[in-house]
Coordinates of all heavy atoms in Angstrom, one line a residue:
G139 N 156.4 35.4 67.3 CA 155.4 35.5 66.2 C 155.8 34.8 65.0 O 155.0 34.7 64.1
L140 N 157.0 34.3 64.9 CA 157.5 33.8 63.7 C 156.8 32.5 63.2 O 156.6 32.3 62.0 CB 159.1 33.5 63.7 CG 159.9 34.8 63.9 CD1 161.3 34.5 63.9 CD2 159.6 35.9 62.9
V141 N 156.6 31.6 64.1 CA 155.9 30.3 63.8 C 154.5 30.6 63.3 O 154.0 30.1 62.2 CB 155.9 29.4 64.9 CG1 155.0 28.2 64.6 CG2 157.3 28.9 65.3
E142 N 153.8 31.5 64.0 CA 152.4 31.8 63.6 C 152.5 32.5 62.2 O 151.6 32.2 61.3 CB 151.8 32.7 64.5 CG 150.3 33.2 64.1 CD 149.6 34.0 65.3 OE1 149.7 33.7 66.4 OE2 148.9 35.0 64.9
A143 N 153.4 33.4 62.0 CA 153.5 34.0 60.7 C 153.8 33.1 59.6 O 153.1 33.2 58.4 CB 154.6 35.1 60.8
Y144 N 154.7 32.2 59.8 CA 155.0 31.2 58.8 C 153.8 30.3 58.4 O 153.5 30.1 57.2 CB 156.1 30.3 59.2 CG 156.5 29.2 58.2 CD1 157.4 29.6 57.2 CD2 156.0 27.9 58.4 CE1 157.8 28.5 56.3 CE2 156.4 26.9 57.5 CZ 157.2 27.3 56.5 OH 157.6 26.3 55.6
V145 N 153.1 29.8 59.4 CA 151.9 29.0 59.2 C 150.8 29.7 58.5 O 150.2 29.2 57.5 CB 151.4 28.3 60.5 CG1 150.1 27.6 60.3 CG2 152.5 27.5 61.1
H146 N 150.6 30.9 59.0 CA 149.5 31.7 58.3 C 149.8 32.1 56.9 O 148.9 32.2 56.1 CB 149.2 32.9 59.2 CG 148.4 32.6 60.5 ND1 147.4 33.4 61.0 CD2 148.5 31.6 61.3 CE1 146.9 32.9 62.1 NE2 147.6 31.7 62.3
L147 N 151.0 32.5 56.7 CA 151.5 32.9 55.4 C 151.3 31.7 54.4 O 151.0 31.9 53.2 CB 152.9 33.5 55.4 CG 153.3 34.1 54.0 CD1 152.4 35.2 53.5 CD2 154.8 34.5 54.2
E148 N 151.7 30.5 54.8 CA 151.7 29.3 53.9 C 150.1 29.1 53.5 O 149.9 28.8 52.4 CB 152.2 28.1 54.7 CG 153.7 28.0 54.8 CD 154.3 27.7 53.6 OE1 154.1 26.6 53.0 OE2 155.1 28.7 53.0
K149 N 149.3 29.3 54.5 CA 147.8 29.1 54.2 C 147.3 30.2 53.3 O 146.5 30.0 52.4 CB 147.0 29.1 55.5 CG 147.2 27.9 56.4 CD 146.5 28.0 57.6 CE 146.6 26.8 58.6 NZ 145.9 26.8 59.8
F150 N 147.8 31.4 53.5 CA 147.4 32.6 52.7 C 147.9 32.3 51.2 O 147.1 32.6 50.3 CB 147.9 33.9 53.2 CG 147.5 35.1 52.6 CD1 146.4 35.8 52.9 CD2 148.2 35.6 51.5 CE1 146.0 36.9 52.2 CE2 147.8 36.7 50.7 CZ 146.7 37.4 51.2
N151 N 149.1 32.0 51.1 CA 149.7 31.8 49.7 C 148.9 30.8 49.0 O 148.7 30.8 47.7 CB 151.1 31.5 49.7 CG 152.1 32.7 50.0 OD1 151.7 33.7 49.6 ND2 153.2 32.5 50.7
K152 N 148.6 29.6 49.6 CA 147.8 28.6 49.0 C 146.4 29.0 48.6 O 146.0 28.8 47.5 CB 147.8 27.4 50.0 CG 147.1 26.1 49.3 CD 147.1 25.0 50.3 CE 146.5 23.7 49.7 NZ 146.5 22.6 50.6
K153 N 145.8 29.8 49.5 CA 144.4 30.2 49.2 C 144.3 31.2 48.1 O 143.4 31.2 47.2 CB 143.8 30.9 50.5 CG 142.4 31.4 50.3 CD 141.9 32.0 51.6 CE 140.5 32.6 51.4 NZ 140.0 33.2 52.6
H154 N 145.3 32.2 48.0 CA 145.4 33.2 47.0 C 146.3 32.9 45.8 O 146.4 33.8 45.0 CB 145.7 34.5 47.7 CG 144.8 34.9 48.8 ND1 143.7 35.8 48.4 CD2 144.8 34.8 50.1 CE1 143.0 36.1 49.5 NE2 143.6 35.4 50.5
N155 N 146.9 31.8 45.8 CA 147.8 31.4 44.8 C 148.9 32.5 44.7 O 149.3 32.9 43.5 CB 147.0 31.2 43.4 CG 148.0 30.6 42.3 OD1 148.8 29.8 42.7 ND2 147.7 30.9 41.1
S156 N 149.4 32.9 45.7 CA 150.4 34.0 45.8 C 151.8 33.3 46.3 O 151.8 32.1 46.6 CB 150.0 35.1 46.7 OG 149.7 34.6 48.1
N157 N 152.8 34.2 46.3 CA 154.1 33.7 46.6 C 154.9 34.7 47.5 O 156.0 35.0 47.3 CB 154.9 33.4 45.4 CG 156.2 32.6 45.6 OD1 156.3 31.8 46.6 ND2 157.2 32.9 44.9
L158 N 154.1 35.2 48.5 CA 154.7 36.1 49.5 C 155.8 35.4 50.3 O 155.6 34.3 50.7 CB 153.6 36.7 50.4 CG 152.5 37.5 49.7 CD1 151.5 38.0 50.8 CD2 153.0 38.6 48.8
K159 N 156.9 36.1 50.5 CA 158.0 35.6 51.3 C 158.0 36.2 52.7 O 157.7 37.4 52.9 CB 159.3 35.9 50.6 CG 159.4 35.4 49.1 CD 159.4 33.9 49.0 CE 159.6 33.4 47.6 NZ 159.5 32.0 47.5
L160 N 158.6 35.4 53.6 CA 158.7 35.8 55.0 C 160.2 35.9 55.4 O 160.9 34.9 55.3 CB 157.9 35.0 55.9 CG 158.1 35.2 57.4 CD1 157.6 36.6 57.9 CD2 157.4 34.2 58.3
L161 N 160.7 37.0 55.8 CA 162.1 37.1 56.4 C 161.9 36.9 57.9 O 161.2 37.7 58.6 CB 162.7 38.4 56.1 CG 162.8 38.7 54.5 CD1 163.4 40.1 54.3 CD2 163.7 37.8 53.9
L162 N 162.6 35.9 58.5 CA 162.5 35.7 59.9 C 163.6 36.6 60.6 O 164.8 36.4 60.4 CB 162.8 34.1 60.1 CG 161.9 33.2 59.4 CD1 162.3 31.8 59.6 CD2 160.5 33.4 59.7
G163 N 163.1 37.3 61.5 CA 164.0 38.3 62.2 C 163.6 38.6 63.6 O 162.6 38.1 64.2
S164 N 164.5 39.4 64.3 CA 164.3 39.8 65.7 C 165.1 41.1 65.8 O 166.2 41.1 65.4 CB 164.5 38.8 66.6 OG 164.3 39.2 68.0
E165 N 164.5 42.0 66.5 CA 165.2 43.2 66.9 C 165.9 43.0 68.3 O 165.2 43.0 69.3 CB 164.4 44.4 67.0 CG 165.2 45.7 67.3 CD 164.4 47.0 67.2 OE1 163.1 46.9 67.0 OE2 164.9 48.1 67.3
L166 N 167.2 42.7 68.3 CA 167.9 42.3 69.6 C 168.6 43.4 70.1 O 168.8 44.5 69.4 CB 168.9 41.2 69.2 CG 168.2 39.8 68.6 CD1 169.3 38.9 68.3 CD2 167.3 39.2 69.6
Y167 N 169.1 43.3 71.3 CA 169.7 44.5 72.0 C 171.2 44.3 72.3 O 171.5 43.3 72.8 CB 168.9 44.8 73.2 CG 167.5 45.2 72.8 CD1 166.5 44.4 72.8 CD2 167.3 46.6 72.6 CE1 165.2 44.7 72.3 CE2 166.0 47.0 72.1 CZ 165.0 46.1 72.0 OH 163.8 46.5 71.6
Y168 N 172.0 45.2 72.0 CA 173.4 45.3 72.3 C 173.6 45.7 73.7 O 173.1 46.7 74.2 CB 174.1 46.2 71.4 CG 175.6 46.5 71.7 CD1 176.6 45.6 71.2 CD2 175.9 47.5 72.5 CE1 177.9 45.8 71.5 CE2 177.3 47.7 72.9 CZ 178.3 46.9 72.3 OH 179.5 47.1 72.6
T169 N 174.3 44.8 74.5 CA 174.6 45.1 75.9 C 176.1 45.0 76.1 O 176.8 44.3 75.5 CB 173.9 44.2 76.9 OG1 174.3 42.9 76.6 CG2 172.4 44.3 76.7
N170 N 176.6 45.8 77.0 CA 178.0 45.8 77.3 C 178.2 46.2 78.8 O 178.2 47.3 79.2 CB 178.8 46.8 76.4 CG 180.3 46.7 76.7 OD1 180.8 45.7 77.2 ND2 181.0 47.7 76.3
D171 N 178.2 45.1 79.6 CA 178.4 45.4 81.1 C 179.4 44.5 81.7 O 180.0 43.7 80.9 CB 177.0 45.4 81.7 CG 176.3 44.0 81.6 OD1 177.1 43.0 81.4 OD2 175.1 43.9 81.4
V172 N 179.5 44.5 83.0 CA 180.5 43.7 83.7 C 180.2 42.2 83.5 O 181.2 41.4 83.8 CB 180.7 44.1 85.1 CG1 181.1 45.5 85.2 CG2 179.3 44.0 85.8
T173 N 179.0 41.8 83.2 CA 178.7 40.4 83.2 C 178.8 39.7 81.8 O 178.9 38.6 81.7 CB 177.3 40.1 83.7 OG1 176.3 40.8 82.9 CG2 177.1 40.6 85.1
V174 N 178.8 40.6 80.8 CA 178.9 40.2 79.4 C 180.1 41.0 78.8 O 179.9 42.1 78.3 CB 177.7 40.3 78.6 CG1 177.8 39.8 77.2 CG2 176.5 39.6 79.3
K175 N 181.2 40.4 78.7 CA 182.4 41.1 78.1 C 182.2 41.2 76.6 O 181.7 40.3 75.9 CB 183.7 40.4 78.4 CG 184.0 40.2 79.9 CD 184.2 41.6 80.5 CE 184.7 41.5 81.9 NZ 185.0 42.7 82.6
E176 N 182.6 42.4 76.1 CA 182.3 42.7 74.7 C 183.0 41.7 73.7 O 182.3 41.3 72.8 CB 182.9 44.1 74.4 CG 182.5 44.7 73.1 CD 182.7 46.1 73.0 OE1 183.1 46.8 73.9 OE2 182.5 46.7 71.8
K177 N 184.2 41.2 74.1 CA 184.8 40.3 73.2 C 184.0 38.9 73.2 O 184.0 38.3 72.1 CB 186.3 40.0 73.6 CG 186.5 39.5 75.0 CD 188.0 39.2 75.3 CE 188.1 38.6 76.7 NZ 189.6 38.4 77.1
N178 N 183.5 38.6 74.3 CA 182.7 37.4 74.4 C 181.4 37.4 73.6 O 180.9 36.5 73.0 CB 182.4 37.0 75.8 CG 183.6 36.5 76.6 OD1 184.6 36.1 76.0 ND2 183.5 36.7 77.8
L179 N 180.8 38.7 73.5 CA 179.6 39.0 72.8 C 179.9 38.8 71.3 O 179.2 38.1 70.6 CB 179.1 40.4 73.0 CG 177.9 40.9 72.3 CD1 176.7 40.0 72.5 CD2 177.6 42.3 72.5
Y180 N 181.0 39.4 70.9 CA 181.3 39.3 69.4 C 181.6 37.8 69.0 O 181.3 37.3 68.0 CB 182.5 40.1 69.1 CG 182.2 41.6 69.1 CD1 183.0 42.5 69.8 CD2 181.0 42.1 68.4 CE1 182.7 43.8 69.9 CE2 180.7 43.4 68.5 CZ 181.5 44.3 69.2 OH 181.3 45.6 69.3
H181 N 182.2 37.1 70.0 CA 182.6 35.7 69.7 C 181.3 34.9 69.6 O 181.1 34.0 68.7 CB 183.3 35.1 70.9 CG 183.5 33.6 70.9 ND1 184.5 33.0 70.0 CD2 183.0 32.5 71.5 CE1 184.4 31.7 70.1 NE2 183.5 31.4 71.0
M182 N 180.2 35.2 70.4 CA 179.0 34.5 70.3 C 178.3 34.9 68.9 O 177.8 34.0 68.2 CB 178.1 34.9 71.4 CG 176.8 34.2 71.4 SD 175.6 34.7 72.7 CE 175.3 36.4 72.2
I183 N 178.3 36.1 68.5 CA 177.7 36.6 67.3 C 178.4 35.8 66.2 O 177.7 35.4 65.2 CB 177.8 38.1 67.2 CG1 176.9 38.7 68.3 CG2 177.4 38.5 65.8 CD1 177.0 40.3 68.2
R184 N 179.7 35.8 66.1 CA 180.5 35.2 65.1 C 180.1 33.7 65.0 O 179.9 33.1 63.9 CB 181.9 35.4 65.3 CG 182.8 34.8 64.2 CD 184.3 35.1 64.4 NE 184.6 36.6 64.2 CZ 184.9 37.4 65.2 NH1 184.8 37.1 66.4 NH2 185.1 38.7 64.9

């Protein structure tokens, strides 16, 4: 939804002469199993 949100917000701000900001995010999930070692997960995050 981030691209649509960015485009629609740009149009909204222009139309209403406003300056609303968008924080781009995602709720991701922590996993720890035999296929993804924890140390490798932290390495990727870092």
